[in-house]
Amino acid sequence: MSEKKWVYLFHEIDKAKEAVGGDWEFVRGLLGGKGANLADMTSIGVPVPPGFSVTTEACNAYQIKEEFPDGMWDQVLSSMADVEKATGKVFGGKENPLLVSCRSGAKFSMPGMMDTVLNIGLNDETAVAMVNLTKNERFVFDSYRRLVQMFGSVVLGITDEAFEEVFDGYKAKKGIVADTDLTTDDLKLLTEKFKMVVLEEKGFEFPQDPYEQLKLANEAVFKSWMGKRAVDYRRATDIPDDLGTAVNIQTMVFGNMGWDSGTGVAFTRNPANGEKKLYGDYLLNAQGEDVVAGIRNTEPIQHMSETLPEAYKQFVEIVTNLEKHYRDMQDVEFTIERGKLWMLQTRNGKRTPGSAVKIAVDMVAEGLIDKRTAIMRVTPEQVDTLLHPQFSAESKRAAKAEGRFFSSGVNASPGAAVGQVYFDADKTEQMAKEENQKTIMVRPFTKPDDVHGMLVAQGILTSEGGATSHAAVVARQFGVPCVVGASAVKIDLDHRVMYVGDQVVKEGEWISVDGTTGEVYLGQLERFAPSLEEQKELLNLLGWADEICATPGVRSDHGKGFPTVGLKVWANADYPQDAKRAREYGATGIGLCRTEHMFFEPERLPSVQKMILAKSSEERTEALNELLPHQRKDFEGLFTAMDGLPVIIRLIDPPLHEFLPSAEDLQDQIITKRIENMADYILGKSETKSIQELENMLREVGSLHESNPMMGLRGVRLSIMMPEIVEMQVRAIMEAAANVALKGVDPHPEVMIPLTGHVNELKLIQPRLEAIAVEVMEAKKVKFNYKFGSMIEIPRACVTADELAGIAEFFSFGTNDLTQMTFGYSRDDAERSFLLKYIEEGILSKNPFQTIDRAGVGELMRIAVNKGREVRPELEVGICGEAGGDPNSIEFCHLIGQNYVSCSPFRVPVARLAAAHAAIKHQN
Ligand code: ADP
Ligand code: MG
Ligand code: MG
């Protein structure tokens, strides 16, 4: 039996594949992302400094007993021997010493892992050897003092300050400003001083034995896997602990060996805009982190064609091949040692949403990836960002140039917010509500009693907390742009100011918060709402998403009417204008038109009130006849905008009292009028007509009062009590359809009855309404297709869906009410008081009003779909609640066999992509 393999040399990728069964994802799991790619590059002939990876399995084994597993260290030693052979150098050798770096690398790059330690293997003796070899004493002692410092802080856990104090003190004493002014002797002395820091802080000497250095560094990487920052991050992002991190030990190459050496980082395409052009920086005569640290000004990568032409040519060739090899934009690190190019890392590059779309679409055109891959490369959230208002690049640049950049923190919730600063929730709410101001709430951190302020604010800024802090969670839940943990910002709540250095913001002053990037600016930055039409690549991508969804067989055939194409995306639109926008955004139907909005228009409300206050059916019909032409006109507009596509119109849903003023308002008005008419009153004249009318209305409001209107007289119940209203509505719908049909438009009205809980409700009302449709078609001598269906938003409707489907020709889930009734929560009350606590405590993992609760509400939906289709296989099923625009919920709708999702017009593009993701993810 061969012993367990804990270590893989970079050229042993085949063995690693074999060990995990060939799957590349598993190789990445075993060797970490960095290690797997180093090995992979080695295997395709890219120059990579020799080295090896200690596996994530070794890391996991280490966690159990806090010691290296049996055989691991021996394998490290023999791998070092291989590396020595490959390089012709000797670790700890006195002639040609081998130096190595120790680099952590989990499957996914994540914060909290140990920082890379360079130059391992340097000690008092090898330093001398390196001087002989390089004839560059300054370089050697600069490297040595860096090693002692890095090793001391990263591996031995000594604070940075302990070293910095010594370093700064030394420079001050000698009057040295820039590090580059340190002489060789200075650096030698500092190395000794740093060794003293180690001795003082740890009680032992900086290890001179190279293997001791290697061992401690290796162990420190394993320990960092269970460090607090790493663990916190994994908890927040659901990364399991048993993923482990690998350790990569790699021969050092030196970019700081003179002016024929250098180091740099580059992306194969522009990560900001996706342009297909090498994008990066390099520095001559510099080592690794110098490029990123910003100590010296870097040069654009293209300039390397002049300074190091041979290496540049080879570099371009290599990265071009790497991109083809990985079929994705690469982010690479490289070093040139005395003219020779070495690649130190490659990975798929992070990118902005805009470049994600462009790169994906371009790569399809280049034949690198197929359309499905392109679709999966872009997330629905990225599409969302591309359609949200953003700060213009020019206004940001200008603000920076004018010194109005204030600070930055964690980009907790995307979007661009401009507003006046207030330092507590009450003031934020007051200024927003009473003064109609645009406000930004600023706090050190937030608590549940701050939510009322956060909800009215345009944006939120905190100086403490991370991506999962209360502020961040709430902001994301409610879609408020938010930056948290801007730790440079000092907030002085007593004096109502915040400041960074000498930039001071007083309460009431304007700031701009970019939740997408985490930046905060002083003053008001310009925003723009990006248009979809101008984003050609995005249009392309969404077109492909629609193609995927429209492909028969993309969902396997479950029989009983289960659709074999993917989800269609419809929109919720109350006005022709919204319908037009929805169609432009790619909606192929209207899933919800709420008619009551039409009742609230100022010139219609009096007729609506007259209808409500009517004492007889005739009086009511008279008032309704005033409304009919208005409604008919609205519907004509909708049908015309949606020519050829289905339009679902929901009959009146809310309780009637919503159309009347509140009792308090009426009382106020009556009192005001009485005071105005005091003189008449004293003279004993009777009350004026207007006061009588107000009193009538007040009585009516009193009689309509319900203790729980959400469960009271509304929806289909209202139609049964006052059928005249819905009869008028259906007449308006059908007459509108007839009128536009006569003009050559192809209307598809679908009339939706809300809040059905019992089939007998439908049995009573639906035939009366269908009769109107028939009557209108006969009268107008025109034919068109129409449907009558039911909204499904009561649990009883779900479990008796087979009965309902005997009458209803379509179902549409109203997930807001369905969630309220299934959980027994009133949404407003829940979100205002306990829901966040529930999420924080993990009682609920998500807000069920935003993402369908699959186990509860979702199960009821599944039952409804199945039972409904048993009776009526051609039953059309969709969703029109807010969850219809939520990617996770869309996936669920796909899985239970719905025909479409309907969401707000602005979310249609997001939903189109999410629908395609669901289809691709679950095909087969
Ligand atoms: P990170 O994951 O933080 O990027 P890396 O392990 O990539 O950390 O290393 C940090 C820096 O050190 C990078 O610039 C990298 O190129 C450089 N580096 C790492 N190993 C070596 C090596 N063997 N020779 C030269 N430079 C190295
Ligand atoms: Mg790196
Ligand atoms: Mg409802």
Side-chain angles (χ1 to χ4, degrees):
M1 197 194 89
S2 62
E3 72 163 341
K4 174 89 185 163
K5 195 162 166 59
W6 302 109
V7 178
Y8 290 86
L9 287 154
F10 289 163
H11 60 74
E12 291 183 324
I13 187 86
D14 290 339
K15 286 191 187 163
K17 279 186 190 154
E18 206 182 296
V20 297
D23 189 320
W24 182 243
E25 279 308 298
F26 292 147
V27 177
R28 282 169 46 88
L30 183 69
L31 303 179
K34 199 181 275 171
N37 279 5
L38 285 169
D40 197 30
M41 282 199 286
T42 305
S43 77
I44 57 173
V46 172
V48 172
F52 54 87
S53 304
V54 184
T55 64
T56 55
E57 291 175 350
C59 173
N60 288 337
Y62 175 86
Q63 308 304 341
I64 297 166
K65 287 200 277 179
E66 299 240 333
E67 57 187 49
F68 293 150
D70 284 348
M72 183 200 113
W73 188 246
D74 287 339
Q75 291 179 27
V76 168
L77 293 180
S78 75
S79 301
M80 283 300 283
D82 278 307
V83 173
E84 287 178 332
K85 214 177 289 158
T87 57
K89 300 174 190 230
V90 176
F91 196 49
K94 294 181 190 72
E95 277 166 30
N96 188 4
L98 171 67
L99 304 186
V100 295
S101 62
C102 174
R103 321 169 68 185
S104 64
K107 179 168 180 182
F108 312 108
S109 78
M110 51 175 276
M113 302 306 303
M114 194 188 85
D115 287 339
T116 293
V117 181
L118 304 176
N119 305 326
I120 290 176
L122 266 183
N123 58 23
D124 295 350
E125 284 178 355
T126 53
V128 175
M130 286 293 289
V131 173
N132 291 336
L133 210 65
T134 62
K135 307 281 176 275
N136 189 342
E137 205 176 10
R138 191 182 185 285
F139 150 71
V140 173
F141 280 93
D142 193 33
S143 303
Y144 195 10
R145 68 99 192 164
R146 283 180 200 240
L147 170 66
V148 180
Q149 179 174 5
M150 247 198 231
F151 197 90
S153 65
V154 173
V155 178
L156 301 177
I158 300 168
T159 60
D160 288 330
E161 288 81 50
F163 292 103
E164 271 156 26
E165 218 170 85
V166 170
F167 194 61
D168 294 343
Y170 184 86
K171 282 204 305 188
K173 204 176 80 196
K174 301 264 302 203
I176 296 170
V177 184
D179 291 3
T180 41
D181 293 336
L182 291 164
T183 64
T184 306
D185 286 339
D186 289 332
L187 292 166
K188 275 183 172 170
L189 234 146
L190 276 168
T191 309
E192 290 309 311
K193 281 178 180 287
F194 282 176
K195 285 189 201 160
M196 286 304 294
V197 172
V198 173
L199 183 62
E200 274 163 26
E201 296 282 328
K202 301 303 293 186
F204 55 79
E205 303 262 357
F206 168 78
Q208 287 287 319
D209 177 0
Y211 281 103
E212 184 66 16
Q213 293 173 7
L214 189 64
K215 195 179 216 166
L216 288 170
N218 199 331
E219 206 168 354
V221 174
F222 286 169
K223 282 192 177 132
S224 73
W225 180 252
M226 293 311 286
K228 186 174 168 359
R229 258 184 76 208
V231 172
D232 284 351
Y233 179 82
R234 292 201 296 272
R235 295 286 176 277
T237 48
D238 283 338
I239 295 179
D241 283 346
D242 64 1
L243 216 56
T245 180
V247 181
N248 303 292
I249 306 297
Q250 186 171 29
T251 306
M252 282 300 300
V253 287
F254 297 99
N256 50 349
M257 276 206 174
W259 298 101
D260 57 353
S261 303
T263 186
V265 294
F267 291 85
T268 53
R269 304 190 186 212
N270 188 320
N273 62 22
E275 190 190 358
K276 192 180 177 187
K277 188 176 156 201
L278 211 52
Y279 178 94
D281 302 293
Y282 80 107
L283 265 177
L284 288 179
N285 201 5
Q287 206 179 17
E289 62 273 28
D290 295 353
V291 177
V292 202
I295 310 167
R296 280 165 53 191
N297 283 334
T298 56
E299 292 280 320
I301 191 90
Q302 278 79 7
H303 289 187
M304 224 170 90
S305 62
E306 284 152 36
T307 50
L308 296 167
E310 278 306 307
Y312 183 71
K313 213 177 118 220
Q314 193 193 359
F315 178 74
V316 171
E317 219 166 87
I318 287 174
V319 297
T320 309
N321 282 334
L322 284 177
E323 207 189 67
K324 289 202 181 117
H325 181 73
Y326 292 106
R327 296 166 188 274
D328 201 353
M329 183 252 265
Q330 295 298 297
D331 165 4
V332 300
E333 295 173 3
F334 66 94
T335 282
I336 293 157
E337 180 182 307
R338 293 185 171 152
K340 163 113 182 85
L341 172 68
W342 296 99
M343 299 303 292
L344 291 169
Q345 187 167 349
T346 191
R347 62 184 155 192
N348 296 341
K350 297 239 171 2
R351 62 206 76 181
T352 60
S355 66
V357 172
K358 177 164 167 53
I359 291 172
V361 172
D362 284 354
M363 284 192 167
V364 172
E366 292 162 27
L368 274 181
I369 56 175
D370 62 10
K371 291 176 181 175
R372 283 165 184 255
T373 310
I375 288 168
M376 296 310 280
R377 288 261 172 96
V378 178
T379 65
E381 290 73 25
Q382 286 175 319
V383 173
D384 192 28
T385 310
L386 287 173
L387 298 170
H388 260 85
Q390 299 165 7
F391 290 124
S392 68
E394 304 86 77
S395 75
K396 279 193 179 185
R397 237 191 322 271
K400 274 190 182 140
E402 290 160 18
R404 289 196 283 118
F405 177 78
F406 185 57
S407 190
S408 68
V410 179
N411 48 343
S413 175
V418 177
Q420 291 169 265
V421 167
Y422 293 99
F423 291 108
D424 65 68
D426 291 340
K427 195 87 196 259
T428 306
E429 185 183 39
Q430 184 200 342
M431 298 317 269
K433 288 203 167 150
E434 290 171 20
E435 308 293 325
N436 237 334
Q437 284 188 5
K438 306 240 174 288
T439 59
I440 305 273
M441 185 168 132
V442 179
R443 294 290 295 173
F445 55 89
T446 64
K447 300 191 300 297
D449 4 323
D450 293 326
V451 172
H452 59 289
M454 305 168 79
L455 291 184
V456 297
Q458 303 291 312
I460 298 164
L461 169 65
T462 72
S463 57
E464 297 170 22
T468 54
S469 61
H470 178 265
V473 173
V474 175
R476 279 195 296 273
Q477 270 331 313
F478 296 102
V480 184
C482 174
V483 172
V484 299
S487 50
V489 178
K490 303 284 172 266
I491 301 173
D492 182 344
L493 294 175
D494 292 336
H495 298 94
R496 319 298 286 180
V497 294
M498 64 172 171
Y499 54 92
V500 174
D502 54 7
Q503 285 177 314
V504 180
V505 179
K506 298 199 201 76
E507 196 156 49
E509 291 183 339
W510 290 85
I511 63 169
S512 300
V513 173
D514 191 335
T516 311
T517 62
E519 297 165 299
V520 183
Y521 293 85
L522 303 179
Q524 306 178 48
L525 261 57
E526 199 178 81
R527 277 178 298 183
F528 71 100
S531 81
L532 181 60
E533 305 90 84
E534 284 165 20
Q535 304 186 50
K536 293 278 175 290
E537 281 99 4
L538 181 55
L539 285 174
N540 258 334
L541 191 80
L542 293 174
W544 300 340
D546 296 345
E547 271 172 34
I548 301 269
C549 285
T551 312
V554 78
R555 279 194 274 197
S556 39
D557 198 346
H558 295 259
K560 291 218 176 96
F562 197 99
T564 72
V565 296
L567 288 167
K568 296 191 179 86
V569 177
W570 295 3
N572 301 344
D574 299 339
Y575 303 97
Q577 206 46 43
D578 299 339
K580 235 188 242 152
R581 149 139 334 107
R583 201 164 185 176
E584 279 160 19
Y585 276 22
T588 52
I590 298 299
L592 175 66
C593 164
R594 287 166 298 192
T595 47
E596 52 273 6
H597 282 210
M598 301 168 169
F599 287 176
F600 280 112
E601 308 256 314
E603 81 271 26
R604 306 182 192 177
L605 200 54
S607 305
V608 174
Q609 294 176 345
K610 201 161 107 190
M611 177 271 289
I612 295 171
L613 299 174
K615 288 282 158 286
S616 66
S617 180
E618 290 78 56
E619 225 181 295
R620 175 160 297 134
T621 307
E622 190 184 307
L624 283 165
N625 282 340
E626 291 172 23
L627 286 170
L628 188 128
H630 293 298
Q631 289 239 297
R632 192 171 53 213
K633 194 151 158 279
D634 292 330
F635 296 140
E636 285 174 3
L638 268 179
F639 293 141
T640 308
M642 300 306 288
D643 190 358
L645 299 174
V647 176
I648 295 186
I649 297 164
R650 181 178 71 182
L651 301 179
I652 189 167
D653 183 48
L656 290 180
H657 73 83
E658 288 195 9
F659 300 103
L660 300 178
S662 72
E664 294 82 55
D665 264 11
L666 287 167
Q667 263 148 0
D668 282 356
Q669 285 182 43
I670 291 172
I671 290 169
T672 316
K673 282 244 156 69
R674 285 218 173 110
I675 292 171
E676 280 169 12
N677 296 330
M678 193 61 91
D680 294 353
Y681 184 68
I682 292 167
L683 292 175
K685 286 192 189 162
S686 63
E687 296 214 316
T688 63
K689 193 159 170 264
S690 69
I691 292 182
Q692 280 173 19
E693 272 172 9
L694 286 169
E695 283 182 325
N696 268 341
M697 179 111 61
L698 181 61
R699 250 193 314 280
E700 194 65 30
V701 167
S703 78
L704 285 175
H705 175 81
E706 292 176 314
S707 52
N708 194 345
M710 187 185 100
M711 296 179 150
L713 183 63
R714 53 175 286 223
V716 68
R717 304 158 201 166
L718 182 60
S719 314
I720 285 167
M721 299 298 283
M722 292 184 193
E724 300 90 343
I725 305 177
V726 289
E727 282 168 0
M728 178 280 286
Q729 290 194 301
V730 170
R731 185 170 299 278
I733 292 168
M734 296 303 163
E735 287 183 359
N739 290 351
V740 299
L742 289 169
K743 287 188 194 144
V745 172
D746 176 20
H748 290 256
E750 303 193 7
V751 178
M752 178 155 74
I753 298 170
L755 224 65
T756 314
H758 199 293
V759 65
N760 288 345
E761 291 171 318
L762 289 185
K763 280 189 181 156
L764 186 86
I765 200 77
Q766 194 169 308
R768 288 178 70 151
L769 301 177
E770 280 172 321
I772 296 173
V774 174
E775 182 199 319
V776 170
M777 292 214 292
E778 273 168 12
K780 299 246 179 191
K781 300 203 171 20
V782 60
K783 273 206 176 314
F784 50 85
N785 291 320
Y786 60 85
K787 278 185 188 165
F788 281 85
S790 177
M791 197 146 168
I792 304 290
E793 43 195 339
I794 292 182
R796 192 182 187 284
C798 295
V799 293
T800 60
D802 44 352
E803 293 179 9
L804 295 190
I807 311 275
E809 296 167 282
F810 67 86
F811 285 172
S812 174
F813 292 106
T815 39
N816 194 15
D817 273 308
L818 186 58
T819 301
Q820 296 202 90
M821 309 233 194
T822 302
F823 276 91
Y825 300 165
S826 131
R827 177 172 189 174
D828 288 348
D829 298 325
E831 286 186 339
R832 218 173 288 140
S833 60
F834 59 85
L835 203 54
L836 277 164
K837 179 80 176 166
Y838 268 45
I839 293 166
E840 275 173 8
E841 294 290 335
I843 295 170
L844 296 175
S845 65
K846 296 196 178 75
N847 180 347
F849 292 104
Q850 290 195 328
T851 301
I852 290 171
D853 153 53
R854 294 191 184 190
V857 176
E859 201 47 39
L860 285 169
M861 292 167 70
R862 185 199 302 278
I863 290 169
V865 177
N866 293 344
K867 286 198 151 191
R869 288 224 178 97
E870 256 160 41
V871 173
R872 190 190 289 273
E874 75 281 10
L875 185 78
E876 165 193 279
V877 186
I879 176 176
C880 62
E882 212 176 300
D886 167 67
N888 185 304
S889 309
I890 290 172
E891 181 187 34
F892 182 73
C893 293
H894 174 91
L895 289 173
I896 62 171
Q898 296 196 10
N899 301 91
Y900 69 89
V901 296
S902 185
C903 56
S904 115
F906 287 104
R907 285 201 72 82
V908 165
V910 176
R912 287 162 71 193
L913 189 74
H917 274 209
I920 293 170
K921 201 169 141 198
H922 296 288
Q923 196 169 14
N924 301 322

